[in-house]
Amino acid sequence: MDFSIETPRLILCPFVEADAPALAALSNDDAIARMVCSMPHPHAPLLAEGWILIQAANRARGRDAALAIFDRASHVLIGSVGAHGLSDGRCEVGYWVGRAHWGLGYASEALQALIAHVWRRCGGVTFSAGHFCDNPASRRVLEKAGFRPTGAVERRFSLGRACKVETVIMELEPGAPVQQRLAVA
């Protein structure tokens, strides 16, 4: 399942081993690791390379699509977006962008493009996502994509914090009003 998604400002594509140094440099930031469940801190290049290889294996099995987010003009890596555990018409999405790229709408643009792509390829998928209670920016990204809170709050483990963190669970169902807007992305 190798593919690219292009938006007006971004290119989303699978990570390759050569991306490991840039991935490690960009993600080796405590402010990012604290807001993502599965990101270690510090994030050394060897860990980034191993993560990329694991993602390639998962993608080959058709379960996950962890994509690099590149700036379309400069082809600089700015973050990651992914759909994980695709089965039974459901999957979970996640995303992050490097601190220098916060507040520019890149996470929203990447997430909406990924959702539109999955809906075009797989049809009626229900997406879920969680955001840590102390991360209102992530909640806004999800709301812009049409996600709504389910009412569930879970305690999910954060590698960056080395503890469980209150996590609000949100969902986006097929046919949500935002689907029409995303379909043209």
Side-chain angles (χ1 to χ4, degrees):
M1 182 165 50
D2 284 338
F3 58 90
S4 297
I5 303 168
E6 292 191 23
T7 73
R9 300 184 300 163
L10 306 172
I11 297 172
L12 313 178
C13 59
F15 283 94
V16 296
E17 285 183 66
D19 296 327
L23 174 61
L26 185 64
S27 63
N28 194 24
D29 182 337
D30 183 58
I32 296 169
R34 292 179 53 75
M35 297 300 173
V36 178
C37 285
S38 60
M39 186 179 293
H41 189 267
H43 199 191
L46 186 59
L47 290 174
E49 186 175 326
W51 182 84
I52 289 169
L53 293 171
I54 290 167
Q55 298 312 308
N58 286 340
R59 192 174 58 254
R61 290 196 321 257
R63 282 192 39 85
D64 293 345
L67 304 175
I69 304 171
F70 287 98
D71 178 274
R72 191 171 176 169
S74 66
H75 204 67
V76 169
L77 179 68
I78 62 173
S80 179
V81 63
H84 309 285
L86 183 57
S87 66
D88 299 326
R90 300 187 62 79
C91 73
E92 184 165 6
V93 293
Y95 48 87
W96 62 269
V97 295
R99 187 190 304 233
H101 311 286
W102 288 357
L104 301 173
Y106 292 131
S108 294
E109 187 173 330
L111 179 61
Q112 291 175 24
L114 177 63
I115 290 167
H117 177 82
V118 172
W119 271 338
R120 280 191 299 271
R121 287 187 71 174
C122 303
V125 174
T126 297
F127 293 97
S128 66
H131 71 85
F132 293 154
C133 288
D134 61 350
N135 190 353
S138 186
R139 181 184 183 104
R140 284 190 301 277
V141 168
L142 293 169
E143 288 173 340
K144 286 181 195 175
F147 283 76
R148 297 291 169 248
T150 64
V153 176
E154 299 176 358
R155 293 186 52 77
R156 291 192 175 177
F157 190 79
S158 166
L159 278 175
R161 299 182 195 204
C163 66
K164 289 187 175 185
V165 181
E166 295 284 316
T167 306
V168 175
I169 307 304
M170 299 180 74
E171 223 173 54
L172 176 63
E173 295 182 359
V178 77
Q179 182 173 2
Q180 286 74 40
R181 183 167 53 90
L182 294 175
V184 298

